[in-house]
Amino acid sequence: EAAADDAAAKAALSMRVRCFKCVDCARLFESKPEACVRRDHHIEMAFAVRRCFACGKCGRSIFSLERRPRGACACGADAWRNRENDSDVRAVAAPDTFRPALA
């Protein structure tokens, strides 16, 4: 059962979602980009894979529709790694699950 939960947790790190694609900017957005609408850009509906990435320096996690996040992390590092490949991804236990105290 724990292996199935861990597999579900890994599957949640990348999922296929509907998104907006600005043809003029060549970018993908989760919500309709107001700046592109104001500039009268051509916007299409599209499908993309939403992936979870972690900063290689500070460990901060973000989601991106691109193959790799654009720009650097808030800490200044530009070393993103795909969380889907991490072996430490585990399902979070329910709060009412019994967990024995560590000795």
Side-chain angles (χ1 to χ4, degrees):
E1 181 179 306
D5 289 341
D6 290 342
K10 270 199 182 278
L13 293 177
S14 71
M15 60 184 78
R16 188 176 160 99
V17 295
R18 285 185 72 165
C19 63
F20 295 92
K21 177 182 178 182
C22 177
V23 176
D24 299 330
C25 296
R27 299 272 318 259
L28 297 171
F29 300 92
E30 291 190 45
S31 59
K32 198 167 194 176
E34 294 300 322
C36 295
V37 171
R38 280 194 306 270
R39 294 180 185 129
D40 202 27
H41 288 185
H42 180 68
I43 299 171
E44 299 175 344
M45 290 296 295
F47 285 96
V49 176
R50 184 176 186 239
R51 297 175 179 89
C52 185
F53 291 89
C55 175
K57 183 177 177 184
C58 69
R60 178 176 174 247
S61 293
I62 65 164
F63 284 91
S64 176
L65 297 174
E66 311 284 339
R67 290 190 183 274
R68 185 179 178 282
R70 292 177 180 238
C73 178
C75 71
D78 193 13
W80 297 106
R81 69 178 194 277
N82 192 340
R83 291 274 310 190
E84 198 175 347
N85 301 332
D86 289 354
S87 60
D88 65 343
V89 175
R90 302 240 187 268
V92 177
D96 60 341
T97 303
F98 173 73
R99 286 178 270 162
L102 298 175

